[in-house]
Amino acid sequence: MLSSCVRPVPTTVRFVDSLICNSSRSFMDLKALLSSLNDFASLSFAESWDNVGLLVEPSPPHTVNTLFLTNDLTEEVMEEVLQKKADLILSYHPPIFRPMKRITWNTWKERLVIRALENRVGIYSPHTAYDAAPQGVNNWLAKGLGACTSRPIHPSKAPNYPTEGNHRVEFNVNYTQDLDKVMSAVKGIDGVSVTSFSARTGNEEQTRINLNCTQKALMQVVDFLSRNKQLYQKTEILSLEKPLLLHTGMGRLCTLDESVSLATMIDRIKRHLKLSHIRLALGVGRTLVLVSCFLCFEESQVKVVALCAGSGSSVLQGVEADLYLTGEMSHHDTLDAASQGINVILCEHSNTERGFLSDLRDMLDSHLENKINIILSETDRDPLQVV
């Protein structure tokens, strides 16, 4: 009787153990995780010059238990990655940008690739895809300004055309027998969708044909029409554009609900970015009143802010605003903006990006349904310091 009472104990212990394991985070297959990351912010929104996506892949299959977030992947950060046994690095900036002709121990970026592969750690970079995303870096930067409405300075185009194909061919057909011949021909071309409706030209009833075509199909449609000119009239060929997206794109133009003094805006930006100092170029004709200043004159107000995380020269150029906010800007672009009466605040490149990672961790936790561990780098920092 004693032995029969003892036997069930290990079973009970194993059951409790399994409950504990199931309550903790598990893992995701790398391919499934990459798909989920793309659902969160599509890589199609990245700039054409950028190098985004999976940059280093361990031999498959590869599972991810811990995702490591960093703004820049340096050798110091890689040490931290290995100590914390991460399986995939999400590095906002791509550590591989220019083509590598060899992978040796000679340069620090080559060493990153070697150490990642040796330790079966993947490297993924979203970069400008996260700049453009509605919930991305630039939206996070705008949160520090105060209550405002914002829109992208350069809106992104939708990844797909609103209809099949990127061209539309429209023409009229007069007679039923001609219509049957035309419809039979165009419906036999791959990559063409057809719609038709009644139309009237003067007193004559006609049928208006609309063909949405791929580039390849367009060539076949034009070839058919050129050989059968007697069948149609009033032809138009239109190139379709992908629609612009309302909340997705590069930079943000922010209009504050209420104007604030330049000094107030500087304080807000410092608090948001956790910086003790920023660099300011005062626009021509603008004024800044510091707390210690006893002169009595009106300080310039800020109502419209154009911002771009990182390096903002190309995005902000020519934008009308009271203030440009970015990480870095060329000397001459800064002079140009200031000459137009635009104040410029520079915070160093990665200082305008890094704070986003805390928000990103929370958003990815929710998006990935807490399936994996997500940790932030403790060693990642801007290479420039004020001394």
Side-chain angles (χ1 to χ4, degrees):
M1 287 295 293
L2 182 59
S3 61
S4 65
C5 291
V6 172
R7 282 194 199 100
V9 173
T11 305
T12 305
V13 171
R14 283 196 296 271
F15 178 67
V16 172
D17 245 3
S18 68
L19 286 179
I20 294 170
C21 291
N22 289 338
S23 66
S24 65
R25 304 190 187 207
S26 55
F27 57 84
M28 293 182 70
D29 175 73
L30 176 61
K31 296 299 184 187
L33 176 54
L34 294 177
S35 178
S36 291
L37 289 174
N38 196 63
D39 290 340
F40 173 76
S42 174
L43 294 177
S44 66
F45 296 135
E47 295 291 279
S48 58
W49 49 261
D50 208 355
N51 190 35
V52 296
L54 185 63
L55 306 184
V56 174
E57 179 182 10
S59 58
H62 186 64
T63 55
V64 178
N65 177 263
T66 300
L67 175 64
F68 184 98
L69 307 183
T70 185
N71 202 78
D72 293 293
L73 181 57
T74 62
E75 290 191 277
E76 183 181 8
V77 172
M78 179 60 86
E79 287 294 340
E80 184 187 0
V81 169
L82 300 182
Q83 288 171 11
K84 294 180 177 176
K85 301 187 185 305
D87 308 291
L88 179 66
I89 302 165
L90 189 156
S91 176
Y92 167 74
H93 285 136
I96 303 173
F97 193 78
R98 296 182 180 88
M100 290 182 170
K101 292 187 176 181
R102 58 186 61 82
I103 304 295
T104 70
W105 205 248
N106 287 336
T107 69
W108 69 277
K109 289 195 173 183
E110 292 174 59
R111 291 194 292 271
L112 289 177
V113 175
I114 293 171
R115 299 203 71 190
L117 290 173
E118 285 180 341
N119 291 277
R120 294 191 55 76
V121 179
I123 302 175
Y124 174 91
S125 176
H127 200 204
T128 53
Y130 277 12
D131 290 346
Q135 74 282 29
V137 181
N138 283 307
N139 265 35
W140 166 82
L141 186 57
K143 288 180 182 179
L145 304 180
C148 65
T149 57
S150 69
R151 62 175 177 82
I153 294 173
H154 300 291
S156 298
K157 291 184 177 181
N160 301 308
Y161 290 93
T163 59
E164 182 182 356
N166 52 6
H167 290 84
R168 177 175 294 164
V169 181
E170 300 181 356
F171 55 88
N172 286 6
V173 177
N174 287 336
Y175 305 109
T176 302
Q177 61 269 29
D178 293 342
L179 179 62
D180 292 340
K181 182 176 181 179
V182 169
M183 295 295 271
S184 175
V186 296
K187 286 183 177 179
I189 300 174
D190 288 337
V192 173
S193 62
V194 185
T195 57
S196 63
F197 56 91
S198 297
R200 177 178 288 275
T201 302
N203 294 323
E204 189 175 13
E205 287 287 342
Q206 297 182 330
T207 301
R208 186 71 172 170
I209 306 295
N210 286 351
L211 309 178
N212 288 326
C213 313
T214 62
Q215 182 67 47
K216 181 179 179 182
L218 175 65
M219 298 171 65
Q220 294 176 266
V221 169
V222 170
D223 178 65
F224 168 76
L225 293 177
S226 65
R227 288 185 287 104
N228 296 274
K229 294 180 180 180
Q230 74 282 3
L231 301 180
Y232 66 91
Q233 55 185 283
K234 293 189 175 181
T235 305
E236 292 182 274
I237 300 178
L238 309 173
S239 179
L240 302 180
E241 292 288 334
K242 294 178 181 178
L244 298 177
L245 299 175
L246 184 61
H247 302 295
T248 306
M250 294 300 157
R252 292 294 182 270
L253 188 64
C254 307
T255 303
L256 301 177
D257 291 357
E258 295 183 5
S259 299
V260 298
S261 69
L262 179 57
T264 297
M265 181 55 67
I266 290 171
D267 286 341
R268 288 180 181 180
I269 292 168
K270 285 181 176 179
R271 284 200 304 271
H272 186 57
L273 301 184
K274 298 180 173 59
L275 297 175
S276 57
H277 297 83
I278 52 93
R279 292 190 288 163
L280 170 69
L282 202 59
V284 172
R286 305 301 178 184
T287 55
L288 172 65
V289 179
L290 301 176
V291 175
S292 59
C293 181
F294 296 102
L295 295 177
C296 296
F297 54 88
E298 186 178 355
E299 182 177 5
S300 297
Q301 296 292 295
V302 175
K303 178 70 173 179
V304 179
V305 180
L307 62 83
C308 178
S311 181
S313 287
S314 60
V315 173
L316 301 178
Q317 192 169 32
V319 179
E320 293 185 10
D322 302 312
L323 171 67
Y324 285 175
L325 169 62
T326 187
E328 60 180 332
M329 205 176 208
S330 76
H331 173 77
H332 296 287
D333 286 338
T334 302
L335 287 177
D336 201 33
S339 72
Q340 300 172 58
I342 301 171
N343 302 305
V344 178
I345 290 180
L346 305 179
C347 307
E348 305 308 343
H349 189 111
S350 69
N351 288 336
T352 56
E353 304 161 337
R354 185 169 288 101
F356 166 70
L357 295 180
S358 295
D359 282 13
L360 176 64
R361 176 183 56 191
D362 296 338
M363 288 188 286
L364 288 182
D365 260 337
S366 175
H367 181 72
L368 300 175
E369 300 176 335
N370 299 305
K371 290 178 182 176
I372 60 174
N373 298 306
I374 303 177
I375 57 178
L376 288 181
S377 174
E378 297 176 8
T379 56
D380 174 45
R381 59 183 177 274
D382 194 273
L384 294 172
Q385 300 178 49
V386 177
V387 295

